Amino acid sequence: MSLKDRIGEVSASDSPRARRARIHQGWWRSFVLNQKQGTRPADERALICSKLPAETAGLSNFISKEIGLLALEAAENHNNSNDKSGIIEISRLKENLLSSQPLCFNFFGIIALDHELGLKVVQSFYPEITGFSGVRFEYAPSPKKNFTHDNSAFDVALDVSIGSEQGIIGIECKYTESFSATAYSKDRYKEIYAASDNFVWSYEELSSSRFNQLFRNQLIAESLLQSDTKKFVKTALFCAPDDDKAKNTAAEFLKGIRGDFKIIDFMDYISVIQKQEISERQRIETMRLWARYLAHELSD
């Protein structure tokens, strides 16, 4: 069997970044997980290298069994909620190696399962934080009508505190996908915008197609503050080190707001965890994160 056959099928429509990441996930599937390639999400008659077969996927898409079980439990709780925003697709979570949704659990599941470690990691990026109490996935406050009244959600939200004040860090996670190019606008968005002192640019600039996804995340943050649900809200972009397009968009967006917004990349996060006094299991998990999402030299 040739190397090309072993790794599997790729997509002709991928950008160069996405193609390289897809091939790496095909390598991970074949050489690390020792699984055959699964079918394309949009065409079950065609194979794609970055997909696990439904019948053999199990918890293989996660860097540990514990994180896989956490992901399935979070997905079930989220999808059974009566007032949820978005949905966590179980099949995508378990089978799609290139999806940012299992990526969220793989990276942040480590600190979701160890709050002491979580506090140290968060403090490396936000030294003012004094407490860390957990991680929420695909999080939006409820009832929706009291906030942005849409299906927007933070991919990951960290429950944190500064002294006695409870806050949250809302994170947008990207792997290979671009920001949504659709420009959404609602009267509720305009109300939140008008009531906030944290926007520098006009509503029209911030709600444009380039910034709309980041803007809607920021509107969740502002609605939490305006409702007095949280005393402070910080927002962040979490992305690959080489995702210059996402980083440039986020850096430009930062000029249009006064809120606490950070850009954190995968390597920064892994490095912070590796510098802590962690268990052997946690050190192995973070090494697997590096190999799974960053170490393209292993599949070159």
Side-chain angles (χ1 to χ4, degrees):
M1 180 184 292
S2 71
L3 184 60
K4 180 179 183 297
D5 289 337
R6 181 79 186 267
I7 287 178
E9 301 298 319
V10 296
S11 173
S13 62
D14 281 341
S15 67
R17 267 198 77 248
R19 179 183 175 85
R20 186 64 192 88
R22 190 183 300 279
I23 291 171
H24 187 70
Q25 293 306 323
W27 166 82
W28 180 266
R29 187 210 80 249
S30 180
F31 288 88
V32 179
L33 303 181
N34 194 29
Q35 292 208 27
K36 296 179 180 179
Q37 58 185 334
T39 57
R40 293 174 184 261
D43 183 1
E44 293 188 354
R45 297 168 299 177
L47 298 173
I48 191 73
C49 72
S50 56
K51 188 100 178 304
L52 293 166
E55 61 272 16
T56 61
L59 299 177
S60 299
N61 206 11
F62 305 98
I63 60 168
S64 71
K65 177 183 177 181
E66 292 76 14
I67 288 175
L69 293 173
L70 170 72
L72 295 186
E73 180 182 8
E76 183 178 357
N77 291 340
H78 175 84
N79 294 340
N80 288 335
S81 171
N82 293 326
D83 195 49
K84 62 180 178 290
S85 292
I87 190 167
I88 301 178
E89 298 178 26
I90 302 296
S91 60
R92 182 179 180 85
L93 197 62
K94 294 175 69 174
E95 301 164 25
N96 193 326
L97 292 152
L98 205 63
S99 170
S100 61
Q101 204 158 73
L103 178 147
C104 290
F105 286 98
N106 280 331
F107 274 94
F108 293 96
I110 293 175
I111 63 173
L113 295 171
D114 185 340
H115 292 183
E116 184 178 347
L117 173 62
L119 177 59
K120 293 175 182 177
V121 172
V122 172
Q123 286 177 328
S124 295
F125 299 105
Y126 302 90
E128 69 276 19
I129 297 298
T130 60
F132 170 79
S133 56
V135 182
R136 308 187 202 202
F137 299 92
E138 198 69 22
Y139 168 74
S142 62
K144 288 192 280 189
K145 62 183 178 65
N146 292 349
F147 298 93
T148 53
H149 205 187
D150 63 1
N151 287 322
S152 299
F154 293 132
D155 292 329
V156 173
L158 310 180
D159 285 316
V160 293
S161 58
I162 300 175
S164 61
E165 293 189 340
Q166 301 299 309
I168 205 165
I169 301 171
I171 303 173
E172 177 69 26
C173 298
K174 292 293 181 189
Y175 184 21
T176 61
E177 69 275 27
S178 301
F179 289 114
S180 171
T182 305
Y184 295 95
S185 181
K186 297 168 65 77
D187 289 341
R188 180 62 183 136
Y189 296 174
K190 295 176 182 178
E191 291 173 6
I192 297 169
Y193 173 88
S196 174
D197 294 325
N198 289 329
F199 294 113
V200 177
W201 291 350
S202 69
Y203 177 87
E204 288 69 27
E205 288 175 289
L206 289 166
S207 63
S208 66
S209 60
R210 183 181 183 192
F211 302 115
N212 197 268
Q213 190 171 5
L214 289 172
F215 179 51
R216 282 183 284 125
N217 275 9
Q218 201 63 36
L219 289 172
I220 298 174
E222 297 303 321
S223 68
L224 283 163
L225 294 172
Q226 291 171 16
S227 66
D228 205 29
T229 302
K230 297 293 180 184
K231 292 300 182 183
F232 65 91
V233 182
K234 303 172 185 291
T235 53
L237 169 68
F238 186 65
C239 64
D242 66 341
D243 194 350
D244 294 334
K245 186 175 181 180
K247 286 184 174 182
N248 291 340
T249 298
E252 193 65 22
F253 174 75
L254 181 56
K255 299 175 185 177
I257 63 172
R258 296 189 181 91
D260 189 346
F261 179 89
K262 289 187 185 298
I263 301 169
I264 301 170
D265 73 41
F266 302 167
M267 196 63 183
D268 293 337
Y269 183 86
I270 289 172
S271 297
V272 163
I273 294 178
Q274 286 281 7
K275 290 175 183 177
Q276 310 305 317
E277 293 184 10
I278 54 179
S279 68
E280 181 180 354
R281 177 183 61 81
Q282 290 169 325
R283 199 165 297 282
I284 290 171
E285 286 177 3
T286 50
M287 291 168 70
R288 284 174 66 86
L289 279 177
W290 171 77
R292 166 79 187 268
Y293 293 107
L294 292 170
H296 286 180
E297 57 265 40
L298 296 179
S299 61
D300 275 346

